[in-house]
Protein backbone atom coordinates (compact mmCIF):
# COMPACT_ATOMS: atom_id res chain seq x y z
CA UNK A 1 0.00 0.00 0.00
CA UNK A 2 2.90 2.37 0.54
CA UNK A 3 4.49 1.93 -2.85
CA UNK A 4 5.32 5.65 -3.00
CA UNK A 5 7.04 5.89 0.41
CA UNK A 6 9.85 8.37 0.01
CA UNK A 7 10.81 9.34 3.58
CA UNK A 8 13.71 7.36 5.00
CA UNK A 9 16.18 7.38 7.84
CA UNK A 10 18.65 10.26 7.51
CA UNK A 11 16.31 12.46 5.45
CA UNK A 12 15.46 16.02 6.40
CA UNK A 13 11.83 16.23 7.44
CA UNK A 14 9.85 18.18 4.81
CA UNK A 15 8.47 21.60 5.67
CA UNK A 16 4.72 21.28 5.20
CA UNK A 17 1.79 23.38 6.37
CA UNK A 18 -0.43 21.54 8.85
CA UNK A 19 -3.15 22.81 11.16
CA UNK A 20 -3.22 22.85 14.96
CA UNK A 21 -6.09 23.81 17.22
CA UNK A 22 -5.97 27.31 18.66
CA UNK A 23 -8.81 27.36 21.22
CA UNK A 24 -10.96 25.35 18.81
CA UNK A 25 -10.04 27.33 15.70
CA UNK A 26 -7.67 26.07 12.99
CA UNK A 27 -4.23 27.68 13.00
CA UNK A 28 -1.74 27.06 10.21
CA UNK A 29 1.63 25.76 11.40
CA UNK A 30 4.86 24.82 9.69
CA UNK A 31 6.37 21.41 10.45
CA UNK A 32 9.80 23.07 10.31
CA UNK A 33 8.83 25.55 13.01
CA UNK A 34 7.17 22.86 15.13
CA UNK A 35 10.01 20.31 14.87
CA UNK A 36 13.16 22.48 14.70
CA UNK A 37 15.53 21.97 17.66
CA UNK A 38 13.27 19.28 19.11
CA UNK A 39 13.13 15.52 19.40
CA UNK A 40 9.74 14.66 17.95
CA UNK A 41 7.65 11.52 17.68
CA UNK A 42 5.13 11.79 14.85
CA UNK A 43 2.61 9.04 14.33
CA UNK A 44 0.21 8.94 11.43
CA UNK A 45 -3.20 7.30 11.47
CA UNK A 46 -5.60 6.59 8.58
CA UNK A 47 -8.47 8.33 10.36
CA UNK A 48 -9.67 9.69 13.66
CA UNK A 49 -12.44 7.62 15.24
CA UNK A 50 -11.62 4.55 13.14
CA UNK A 51 -11.40 1.31 15.17
CA UNK A 52 -7.67 0.49 15.04
CA UNK A 53 -6.68 4.16 15.45
CA UNK A 54 -8.99 4.71 18.43
CA UNK A 55 -8.64 1.35 20.16
CA UNK A 56 -4.94 0.57 19.70
CA UNK A 57 -2.67 3.06 17.93
CA UNK A 58 -3.40 6.39 19.63
CA UNK A 59 -3.82 4.82 23.11
CA UNK A 60 -0.32 3.29 22.82
CA UNK A 61 1.12 6.83 22.67
CA UNK A 62 -1.18 8.29 25.34
CA UNK A 63 -0.10 5.61 27.84
CA UNK A 64 3.60 5.92 26.84
CA UNK A 65 4.04 9.69 27.21
CA UNK A 66 6.22 9.39 30.35
CA UNK A 67 8.48 6.71 28.83
CA UNK A 68 8.91 8.74 25.63
CA UNK A 69 9.69 11.92 27.59
CA UNK A 70 12.21 9.94 29.69
CA UNK A 71 13.94 9.02 26.40
CA UNK A 72 14.34 12.73 25.64
CA UNK A 73 11.31 13.25 23.41
CA UNK A 74 10.16 16.89 23.49
CA UNK A 75 6.99 16.63 21.41
CA UNK A 76 4.59 13.81 20.51
CA UNK A 77 2.38 14.54 17.51
CA UNK A 78 -0.43 12.67 15.81
CA UNK A 79 -1.46 13.40 12.23
CA UNK A 80 -4.29 12.24 10.04
CA UNK A 81 -5.91 13.29 6.79
CA UNK A 82 -8.70 14.86 8.82
CA UNK A 83 -9.47 18.48 9.59
CA UNK A 84 -8.33 19.91 12.92
CA UNK A 85 -11.93 20.14 14.17
CA UNK A 86 -12.28 16.35 13.95
CA UNK A 87 -8.84 15.81 15.50
CA UNK A 88 -9.64 18.22 18.33
CA UNK A 89 -12.78 16.26 19.28
CA UNK A 90 -10.88 12.97 18.85
CA UNK A 91 -8.11 14.24 21.18
CA UNK A 92 -10.73 14.81 23.87
CA UNK A 93 -12.21 11.34 23.30
CA UNK A 94 -8.70 9.81 23.51
CA UNK A 95 -7.91 11.79 26.70
CA UNK A 96 -4.75 13.00 24.95
CA UNK A 97 -5.10 16.73 25.60
CA UNK A 98 -1.84 18.16 26.93
CA UNK A 99 -0.08 14.92 25.98
CA UNK A 100 -0.22 14.82 22.17
CA UNK A 101 -0.27 17.63 19.62
CA UNK A 102 -2.78 16.92 16.86
CA UNK A 103 -1.68 17.99 13.37
CA UNK A 104 -4.56 18.28 10.92
CA UNK A 105 -3.58 17.27 7.40
CA UNK A 106 -7.00 17.73 5.80
CA UNK A 107 -5.66 17.95 2.25
CA UNK A 108 -3.17 15.12 2.71
CA UNK A 109 -0.20 17.41 2.01
CA UNK A 110 1.97 15.98 4.80
CA UNK A 111 1.06 12.36 4.00
CA UNK A 112 1.93 12.99 0.34
CA UNK A 113 5.20 14.84 1.14
CA UNK A 114 6.32 11.83 3.20
CA UNK A 115 5.16 9.40 0.52
CA UNK A 116 2.96 7.80 3.18
CA UNK A 117 -0.42 8.40 1.59
CA UNK A 118 -2.68 5.70 0.21
CA UNK A 119 -5.80 5.61 -1.89
CA UNK A 120 -8.78 4.44 0.15
CA UNK A 121 -11.56 5.10 -2.36
CA UNK A 122 -12.44 1.40 -2.56
CA UNK A 123 -13.78 1.63 1.00
CA UNK A 124 -15.05 5.22 0.85
CA UNK A 125 -12.08 6.89 2.54
CA UNK A 126 -10.42 8.85 -0.29
CA UNK A 127 -6.75 9.70 0.14
CA UNK A 128 -5.51 8.82 3.63
CA UNK A 129 -2.31 8.55 5.63
CA UNK A 130 -0.76 5.16 6.09
CA UNK A 131 -0.18 4.04 9.68
CA UNK A 132 3.36 4.85 10.80
CA UNK A 133 5.59 6.38 13.43
CA UNK A 134 8.64 8.57 12.81
CA UNK A 135 11.27 9.76 15.26
CA UNK A 136 12.71 13.10 14.18
CA UNK A 137 15.66 14.83 15.88
CA UNK A 138 16.05 18.51 14.90
CA UNK A 139 14.40 17.87 11.52
CA UNK A 140 16.50 14.74 10.77
CA UNK A 141 14.51 11.50 10.48
CA UNK A 142 16.07 8.90 12.79
CA UNK A 143 13.42 6.12 12.74
CA UNK A 144 10.76 5.15 10.20
CA UNK A 145 8.33 2.40 11.21
CA UNK A 146 5.51 1.82 8.70
CA UNK A 147 2.79 -0.81 8.81
CA UNK A 148 2.46 -3.24 5.91
CA UNK A 149 -1.22 -2.32 5.66
CA UNK A 150 -3.16 0.52 7.32
CA UNK A 151 -5.31 -1.82 9.40
CA UNK A 152 -2.23 -3.32 11.12
CA UNK A 153 -1.08 -1.91 14.47
CA UNK A 154 2.21 -3.71 15.15
CA UNK A 155 5.32 -1.89 13.91
CA UNK A 156 4.08 1.65 14.56
CA UNK A 157 3.08 1.54 18.24
CA UNK A 158 4.74 3.59 20.94
CA UNK A 159 6.09 0.36 22.42
CA UNK A 160 7.71 -0.62 19.09
CA UNK A 161 9.35 2.80 18.82
CA UNK A 162 10.51 2.77 22.47
CA UNK A 163 12.30 -0.53 21.81
CA UNK A 164 14.37 1.26 19.13
CA UNK A 165 15.22 4.44 21.06
Amino acid sequence: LCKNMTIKQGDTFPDVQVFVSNNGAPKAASTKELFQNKKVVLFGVPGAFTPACSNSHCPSFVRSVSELKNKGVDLICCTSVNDIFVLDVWAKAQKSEGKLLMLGDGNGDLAKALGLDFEGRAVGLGVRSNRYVLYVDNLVVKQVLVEDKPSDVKKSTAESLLAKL
Side-chain angles (χ1 to χ4, degrees):
L1 281 168
C2 226
K3 296 177 183 119
N4 57 339
M5 185 171 92
T6 53
I7 198 75
K8 61 189 179 310
Q9 203 168 337
D11 284 354
T12 299
F13 196 87
D15 188 18
V16 178
Q17 180 178 283
V18 293
F19 289 86
V20 296
S21 179
N22 182 21
N23 297 318
K27 179 183 173 197
S30 147
T31 54
K32 182 177 181 180
E33 290 172 12
L34 289 170
F35 293 9
Q36 199 162 31
N37 300 315
K38 292 184 183 117
K39 292 180 179 175
V40 179
V41 168
L42 172 68
F43 68 101
V45 298
F49 293 105
T50 57
C53 303
S54 294
N55 300 333
S56 303
H57 202 199
C58 188
S60 80
F61 288 91
V62 173
R63 72 174 167 261
S64 299
V65 169
S66 295
E67 294 94 322
L68 289 163
K69 297 279 184 179
N70 288 341
K71 294 273 190 175
V73 172
D74 300 304
L75 183 62
I76 305 164
C77 301
C78 175
T79 187
S80 181
V81 182
N82 288 117
D83 61 68
I84 195 60
F85 298 109
V86 169
L87 290 177
D88 205 23
V89 174
W90 191 51
K92 290 176 179 75
Q94 290 291 307
K95 297 178 176 48
S96 68
E97 298 167 290
K99 298 174 183 175
L100 310 178
L101 178 63
M102 295 291 176
L103 305 180
D105 186 25
N107 298 319
D109 296 336
L110 178 57
K112 291 172 190 166
L114 297 171
L116 290 170
D117 57 309
F118 76 92
E119 183 57 62
R121 284 184 193 272
V123 290
L125 297 175
V127 173
R128 291 294 174 127
S129 170
N130 205 329
R131 187 179 311 284
Y132 65 87
V133 62
L134 303 178
Y135 177 63
V136 182
D137 186 349
N138 191 23
L139 299 172
V140 178
V141 178
K142 299 292 187 179
Q143 290 287 336
V144 180
L145 304 171
V146 181
E147 297 294 351
D148 295 325
K149 56 185 183 177
S151 57
D152 287 350
V153 186
K154 299 170 189 162
K155 298 177 186 177
S156 64
T157 63
E159 293 83 1
S160 294
L161 179 63
L162 279 163
K164 295 187 177 291
L165 294 183

